[in-house]
Amino acid sequence: MELFEHLGLGFGVAFLPLNLFYCFIGVLLGTVVGVLPGLGPLATIAMLLPLTFGLDPVQSLIMLAGIYYGSQYGGSTTAILVNLPGESASAVTTIDGYQMALKGRAGPALAAAALGSFFAGTVATVLVALVARPLTSIALSFGPAEYFSLMVVGLISSIALASGSLLKALAMICFGLLVGLTGTDIYTGAPRFTFGQFELLDGISFVALAVGIYGIGEILRNLEGKEGSAPVIAKVKSLWPSVDDLKRMIAPAVRGTAIGSLLGVLPGGGALLSSFVAYNLEKKTSKNSAEFGKGAIEGVTAPEAANNAGAQTSFVPMLALGIPSNVVMALMIGAMIMQGIQPGPNVVVSNPEIFWGLIASMWIGNAMLVVLNLPLIGLWVSLLRVPYWIMFPAIIAFSCIGVYSVSNSAFAVYTVTIAGVIGYFLIKLDCEPAPFVLGFVLGPMLEEHLRRAMLISGGDLSIFVTRPISAALLIVAVAVLFVVSRPNIAKRRQEVFVEEES
């Protein structure tokens, strides 16, 4: 009964006219972002963070969440019609989705993606509502030592689930931790890493850093090799799948939802990992496995269900623990901090309208997405014909104006520029920016809980191993690091990285 009362509060908040409007804006922008290759939810959320500064916290988070799970829907459109994923989580959809389009079955492929995503989003939202509140109650019993160990697990897991070099991922985490410590010491008031710049006394702006790394950096990368020519787009005929198609979609949608719901909660997981795992599992277990790679509808339904479920269940650790499971959730935490809300288990107690309003808005957003995606296919196809060289100047100007509006300081624009150059070179050096951003977000919290634990124990480090939960979490972190450092795992990481790059 208590859950229904909380959901009643959430729907009461989500159905307010302004909140519905921002939910619609979020899923609409998310769909556009997913459709346009080269942007992605990370860059868009980063660039739109400044605009949410003047919004109510509930409206801000509802809109940003809509962009995230909306982009999972939109990314399938280009994956199926153009053989070019609008965002990374839709990469695997190109394998069978585009083959279906070449056979004149683009409509059923798009319907399979939309219906599978809607089913997964609905189920995942139920899971978020069921799991987040009990997990929050458990987290309220955590002390500084447990939180420190939990953040260590999150950082190690993000390294483990990233692709490419383990050493580079570790270096990016350490780099992010160091940059995150810029500013004034929370206990002594001494300036650190400010180099005499008073603008850095409050630390480096998360908004400026995120916009630079994921906005400007991605634009610089996408400008390489862009010829501006219109892509060849498959024609869309009948949208509705046949009865046989619907029967074949049911089991993959259920399995994809289960995989995405599980992996979305794990640190470093989320939509991208979920879609690849779901596709591989479906290929091995489906009785139509011979059709995979040639236009199997299961190869579209399973990864699309998984990436949407993974996107939404990744909100669980962010809402319940204040720990980002992926870099998009790190941006969401940054939005909460910008709004004056301290992320963590106290949010459900001190700001229940935000907690339950956000969860309820996911149901509404998923329903909006079905309406947006299928009837407006013609509009999304038209967007694909816009050359990238026309879009990028407007995106850069929009980003700089937005960052300046948050702090009214030209220093923020300089920060965006420097961060954009750094982000570009990180990409060129095959260093993933995600561990860096996670380290930047978690660094100050990690230091704060470490120092609190030291104050409580009188400087005795054994507090981290004598407290059972803390010790168990550290054992998990060591075990994960040991497993991913094994030669065969390291080789597979590099292979996945090469596949993603290609």
Side-chain angles (χ1 to χ4, degrees):
M1 288 299 294
E2 186 180 5
L3 176 63
F4 290 108
E5 291 176 6
H6 291 148
L7 288 176
L9 169 64
F11 278 108
V13 172
F15 273 114
L16 291 174
L18 268 178
N19 292 344
L20 282 174
F21 172 74
Y22 284 108
C23 181
F24 175 77
I25 293 297
V27 296
L28 177 63
L29 286 173
T31 302
V32 172
V33 165
V35 167
L36 293 174
L39 288 180
L42 278 176
T44 305
I45 291 176
M47 290 186 290
L48 289 178
L49 270 179
L51 289 186
T52 65
F53 183 69
L55 297 179
D56 180 88
V58 179
Q59 297 165 1
S60 169
L61 292 176
I62 284 176
M63 186 176 80
L64 293 175
I67 292 171
Y68 182 37
Y69 58 80
S71 67
Q72 312 308 319
Y73 276 72
S76 63
T77 302
T78 45
I80 293 168
L81 297 181
V82 194
N83 198 29
L84 185 65
E87 52 88 37
S88 57
S90 297
V92 71
T93 307
T94 61
I95 301 172
D96 284 281
Y98 189 61
Q99 291 301 316
M100 288 183 68
L102 292 178
K103 295 177 180 179
R105 305 192 69 230
L110 290 167
L115 294 175
S117 295
F118 176 73
F119 172 77
T122 303
V123 173
T125 305
V126 174
L127 293 175
V128 173
L130 291 173
V131 173
R133 185 65 176 87
L135 191 58
T136 298
S137 301
I138 295 172
L140 287 171
S141 64
F142 278 27
E146 286 79 9
Y147 265 112
F148 172 81
S149 301
L150 181 63
M151 290 178 189
V152 170
V153 172
L155 290 172
I156 296 298
S157 298
S158 68
I159 295 171
L161 294 174
S163 55
S165 167
L166 177 64
L167 185 61
K168 288 181 179 179
L170 279 169
M172 287 298 96
I173 284 286
C174 294
F175 183 33
L177 290 172
L178 288 173
V179 175
L181 297 180
T182 301
T184 305
D185 187 283
I186 57 175
Y187 288 104
T188 67
R192 301 182 300 189
F193 306 132
T194 59
F195 304 102
Q197 299 292 323
F198 71 90
E199 293 94 344
L200 292 176
L201 289 175
D202 290 331
I204 295 175
S205 167
F206 174 76
V207 176
L209 184 79
V211 170
I213 293 286
Y214 287 106
I216 309 301
E218 284 294 316
I219 286 172
L220 293 175
R221 182 183 69 85
N222 288 324
L223 285 175
E224 295 182 345
K226 292 283 180 182
E227 300 176 0
S229 58
V232 179
I233 303 171
K235 293 183 179 180
V236 181
K237 299 176 183 177
S238 174
L239 276 173
W240 197 249
S242 65
V243 175
D244 181 59
D245 286 333
L246 290 172
K247 290 179 180 178
R248 290 176 59 175
M249 286 163 52
I250 295 173
V254 172
R255 284 191 287 265
T257 301
I259 291 169
S261 299
L262 176 62
L263 295 181
V265 178
L266 298 178
L272 178 60
L273 181 66
S274 300
S275 61
F276 276 93
V277 172
Y279 183 84
N280 288 330
L281 177 66
E282 204 61 38
K283 188 176 181 179
K284 293 177 181 178
T285 59
S286 175
K287 61 182 180 180
N288 300 307
S289 58
E291 295 182 29
F292 276 68
K294 302 174 184 177
I297 199 167
E298 295 92 339
V300 176
T301 308
E304 285 300 312
N307 70 39
N308 202 266
Q312 295 193 201
T313 55
S314 62
F315 282 86
V316 171
M318 191 276 287
L319 289 172
L321 305 173
I323 304 295
S325 59
N326 55 54
V327 72
V328 174
M329 291 302 105
L331 296 180
M332 296 290 290
I333 284 180
M336 294 177 73
I337 294 172
M338 194 171 68
Q339 295 282 357
I341 300 168
Q342 182 59 43
N346 285 319
V347 171
V348 70
V349 178
S350 57
N351 303 97
E353 70 284 354
I354 294 177
F355 187 92
W356 294 106
L358 179 58
I359 290 175
S361 74
M362 294 180 186
W363 268 303
I364 300 170
N366 275 284
M368 288 179 176
L369 281 166
V370 173
V371 176
L372 281 172
N373 271 262
L374 294 181
L376 300 180
I377 286 295
L379 175 62
W380 309 137
V381 169
S382 299
L383 285 175
L384 290 172
R385 297 190 173 97
V386 179
Y388 191 76
W389 61 268
I390 293 178
M391 293 190 296
F392 85 84
I395 295 172
I396 291 177
F398 177 76
S399 301
C400 292
I401 292 170
V403 168
Y404 181 84
S405 67
V406 172
S407 59
N408 292 320
S409 169
F411 188 81
V413 179
Y414 302 147
T415 305
V416 167
T417 305
I418 295 170
V421 174
I422 291 173
Y424 172 73
F425 281 108
L426 288 179
I427 294 169
K428 297 299 289 181
L429 294 170
D430 294 337
C431 295
E432 288 192 77
F436 166 72
V437 175
L438 286 173
F440 178 82
V441 172
L442 292 180
M445 293 188 281
L446 192 74
E447 181 201 17
E448 182 179 356
H449 290 300
L450 172 64
R451 293 174 73 172
R452 282 184 180 178
M454 290 292 93
L455 287 172
I456 291 171
S457 66
D460 186 3
L461 287 170
S462 65
I463 187 174
F464 297 107
V465 293
T466 54
R467 296 177 70 95
I469 297 177
S470 175
L473 290 170
L474 289 177
I475 290 171
V476 170
V478 171
V480 170
L481 193 59
F482 173 76
V483 169
V484 298
S485 62
R486 294 176 64 85
N488 57 330
I489 301 295
K491 181 180 178 181
R492 178 57 187 156
R493 285 165 57 91
Q494 194 62 41
E495 289 174 355
V496 170
F497 181 73
V498 171
E499 289 172 6
E500 289 176 2
E501 287 294 294
S502 60

